[in-house]
């Protein structure tokens, strides 16, 4: 009876929450990386060099870094409904303001403000899912949520390309129309969040009484186990514990490499593909091929991680696959070769993230989880600045993307190595605790 109740409850919760938060992330990711398509015409219109564009695209993550942890603490205190609505409405308004960029300094300022506005969204959703899904479901659910990122590239690439073709309508450039039109859904959905999202299982009036009671009891039991772990020192609970835990800082370094890879794809892939002499529309459709393959690979890889309970090697192998893909992309001499290489990068980057995000809540609870997840995301996402900026700088110096792609490949190898070190340190800590207690 309990097993059937569990299955019915988790199915209902998943159908209620996951499609909606996937839609939110879909819109967020489009607004975050549509700058890569704008660059196909905007850079020429505004006179941006590759270095200027790379720096401006990456400075988003400084705003993200500064406001990530405070944002997640506020979300934990006031609830996801109010805070996610605030995040979406402000980032939508700022994203639309990119239509009025006049030069490099206004470009830098708006990218910084966009990062500050969006800070807290992704780690907030990761934290929010930990309120609703027991640990044994988490990597699979996170994979479904994160599938929205590659899906946004699949669908957003041809859409952004089509909007660029609106050049000249009402005296606006195509890239200006793209920013204005793609900003609207964020604002609208921000209002919808206020009426649709439920903060905690206790408030889920859309669940039958028996299912709500089972879920509340299950999540309370998981919290109690973590409380016991906190008393024994194996689970961290307080704010400072979440920021200072060496495992959190190490996972932030792991995430740094994966973020450098992810935003290399989001920001530079359209220009890498266009360098083979293709039209903007062709670039839009071809840019959607690698993330299509990544969606399937990510979901299957995350389910395998949940089924086996193994996290470390699922992260390591995926990071190494992405690293190899970047090496191959750097040496690609045809459109087919670069699409195949970028497919490997997409598969590896996407597959690494769900098992990686299942790791922090194994040793963090309460406010430590809120702060720890935000710390990993904020520090790790600085890779989203370093990767695109280095690629732009090297492109200006050498005229080629190759050196920058090799650099990001090296960061992913470092991510794989650090993941193994974290896992070994965790096993030693658990063994020492077992002896002590």
């Amino acid at each position: 009876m309990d097993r059937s109740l569990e299955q019915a409850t988790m199915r209902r919760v998943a159908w209620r929450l996951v499609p909606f938060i996937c839609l939110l992330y879909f819109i967020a990711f489009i607004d975050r990386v549509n700058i890569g398509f704008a660059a196909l015409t905007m850079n020429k219109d505004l006179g941006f060099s590759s270095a200027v564009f790379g720096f401006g695209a990456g400075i988003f993550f400084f705003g993200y870094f500064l406001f990530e942890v405070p944002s997640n603490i506020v979300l934990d205190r006031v609830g996801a409904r109010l805070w996610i609505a605030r995040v979406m409405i402000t980032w939508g308004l700022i994203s639309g303001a990119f239509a009025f960029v006049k030069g490099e300094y206004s470009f830098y300022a708006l990218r910084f403000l966009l990062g500050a506005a969006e800070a807290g969204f992704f780690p907030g959703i990761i934290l929010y899912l930990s309120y609703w899904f027991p640990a044994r479901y988490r990597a699979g659910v996170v994979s479904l949520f994160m599938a929205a990122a590659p899906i946004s590239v699949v669908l957003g690439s041809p859409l952004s390309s089509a909007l660029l073709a609106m050049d000249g309508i009402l005296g606006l450039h195509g890239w200006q129309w793209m920013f204005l039109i793609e900003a609207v859904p964020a604002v609208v959905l921000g209002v919808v969040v206020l009426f649709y999202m439920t903060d905690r299982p206790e408030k889920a009036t859309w669940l039958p009484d028996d299912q709500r009671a089972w879920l509340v009891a299950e999540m309370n039991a998981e919290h109690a186990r973590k409380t016991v772990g906190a008393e024994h020192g194996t689970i961290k609970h307080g704010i400072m514990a979440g920021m200072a835990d060496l495992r959190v800082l190490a996972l932030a370094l792991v995430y740094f490499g994966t973020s450098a890879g992810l935003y290399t794809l989001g920001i530079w892939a359209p220009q890498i593909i266009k360098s083979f002499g293709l039209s903007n529309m062709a670039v839009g459709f071809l840019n959607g091929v690698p993330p299509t393959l990544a969606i399937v690979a990510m979901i299957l890889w995350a389910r395998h991680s949940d089924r086996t309970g193994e996290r470390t090697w699922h992260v390591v192998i995926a990071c190494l696959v992405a690293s190899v893909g970047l090496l191959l992309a750097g040496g690609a001499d045809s459109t087919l070769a670069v699409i195949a290489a970028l497919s490997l990068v997409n598969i590896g980057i996407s597959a690494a993230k769900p098992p990686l995000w299942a790791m922090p809540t194994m040793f963090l609870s309460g406010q430590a989880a809120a702060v720890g997840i935000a710390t990993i995301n904020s520090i790790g996402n600085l890779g989203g600045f370093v990767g695109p900026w280095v690629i732009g700088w090297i492109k200006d110096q050498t005229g080629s993307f190759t050196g920058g792609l090799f650099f990001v490949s090296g960061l992913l190898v470092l991510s794989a190595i650090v993941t193994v070190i974290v896992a070994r340190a965790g096993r030693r800590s658990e063994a020492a605790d077992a002896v002590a207690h």
Side-chain angles (χ1 to χ4, degrees):
M1 177 63 181
D2 284 347
R3 181 60 178 166
S4 61
L5 178 61
E6 174 181 345
Q7 291 175 338
T9 303
M10 298 319 301
R11 188 181 304 115
R12 186 183 292 265
V13 170
W15 277 110
R16 168 79 183 197
L17 300 182
V18 175
F20 185 66
I21 62 173
C22 285
L23 177 61
L24 301 185
Y25 192 38
F26 173 88
I27 298 301
F29 205 79
I30 284 182
D31 286 346
R32 187 183 296 184
V33 302
N34 59 8
I35 196 74
F37 270 91
L40 297 177
T41 56
M42 180 186 72
N43 286 4
K44 182 178 179 181
D45 290 340
L46 298 179
F48 290 170
S49 67
S50 293
V52 166
F53 173 74
F55 180 81
I59 203 172
F60 168 96
F61 296 100
F62 279 101
Y64 211 80
F65 171 76
L66 292 174
F67 292 95
E68 188 91 90
V69 173
S71 182
N72 230 32
I73 292 174
V74 173
L75 182 145
D76 188 53
R77 290 179 177 173
V78 307
R81 185 177 62 87
L82 286 175
W83 200 243
I84 295 299
R86 191 285 305 165
V87 168
M88 296 196 62
I89 292 169
T90 52
W91 102 50
L93 294 173
I94 294 170
S95 184
F98 274 87
F100 308 104
V101 165
K102 298 299 183 184
E104 61 185 83
Y105 295 112
S106 59
F107 178 53
Y108 294 160
L110 282 175
R111 284 295 289 180
F112 178 86
L113 290 174
L114 186 66
E118 195 180 325
F121 174 78
F122 180 84
I125 294 294
I126 297 294
L127 180 64
Y128 181 68
L129 292 174
S130 74
Y131 299 156
W132 290 88
F133 292 92
R136 59 187 177 275
Y137 292 96
R138 227 158 271 163
V141 171
V142 169
S143 74
L144 294 174
F145 164 59
M146 295 194 67
I151 290 172
S152 72
V153 178
V154 174
L155 301 180
S157 294
L159 172 63
S160 296
S161 297
L163 293 175
L164 290 179
M166 295 178 67
D167 199 66
I169 296 177
L170 298 180
L172 297 177
H173 294 291
W175 56 268
Q176 291 176 298
W177 279 114
M178 185 201 73
F179 282 125
L180 288 171
I181 291 172
E182 292 184 350
V184 171
V187 177
V188 173
L189 285 171
V191 177
V192 174
V193 165
L194 291 171
F195 299 95
Y196 187 83
M197 187 171 275
T198 308
D199 286 327
R200 297 270 188 168
E202 292 85 347
K203 299 180 180 180
T205 56
W206 42 268
L207 277 177
D209 290 344
D210 59 338
Q211 294 183 5
R212 183 169 61 252
W214 177 87
L215 183 57
V216 170
E218 180 70 16
M219 300 313 297
N220 285 343
E222 184 171 296
H223 179 73
R225 289 193 293 272
K226 289 182 178 180
T227 300
V228 172
E231 293 171 354
H232 290 169
T234 58
I235 303 290
K236 304 297 184 182
H237 194 77
I239 290 179
M240 291 308 299
M243 295 184 69
D245 192 294
L246 289 178
R247 290 168 294 185
V248 167
L249 300 178
L251 289 177
L253 182 57
V254 175
Y255 200 55
F256 185 97
T258 64
S259 294
L262 177 65
Y263 293 103
T264 291
L265 294 172
I267 292 170
W268 286 108
Q271 294 183 64
I272 292 171
I273 296 171
K274 189 173 175 63
S275 67
F276 288 90
L278 303 173
S279 68
N280 289 344
M281 188 57 70
V283 170
F285 283 104
L286 286 175
N287 195 53
V289 173
T292 302
L293 301 175
I295 294 165
V296 178
M298 175 173 62
I299 292 173
L300 294 177
W301 196 241
R303 287 181 177 175
H304 187 266
S305 178
D306 272 347
R307 188 167 60 251
T308 60
E310 203 286 323
R311 307 302 187 193
T312 303
W313 289 105
H314 282 79
V315 175
V316 170
I317 293 170
C319 286
L320 293 178
V321 167
S323 176
V324 170
L326 285 164
L327 292 176
L328 294 175
D333 56 3
S334 69
T335 303
L336 180 61
V338 81
I339 294 300
L342 291 175
S343 295
L344 277 180
V345 183
N346 271 269
I347 288 170
I349 293 295
S350 297
K353 289 180 178 284
L356 173 60
W357 280 116
M359 296 172 77
T361 51
M362 294 169 64
F363 59 86
L364 298 173
S365 178
Q367 288 193 323
V371 172
I373 290 169
T375 300
I376 293 168
N377 199 54
S378 61
I379 296 175
N381 264 312
L382 290 177
F385 166 75
V386 172
W389 174 69
V390 169
I391 287 176
W393 181 79
I394 292 178
K395 174 71 162 54
D396 272 354
Q397 302 303 311
T398 66
S400 169
F401 289 105
T402 301
L405 294 174
F406 286 0
F407 170 78
V408 178
S409 175
L411 291 179
L412 282 158
V413 172
L414 179 61
S415 291
I417 293 170
V418 173
T419 303
V420 174
I421 293 172
V422 171
R424 289 182 175 177
R427 286 195 293 270
R428 285 196 297 269
S429 176
E430 289 172 2
D433 288 331
V435 172
H437 297 290

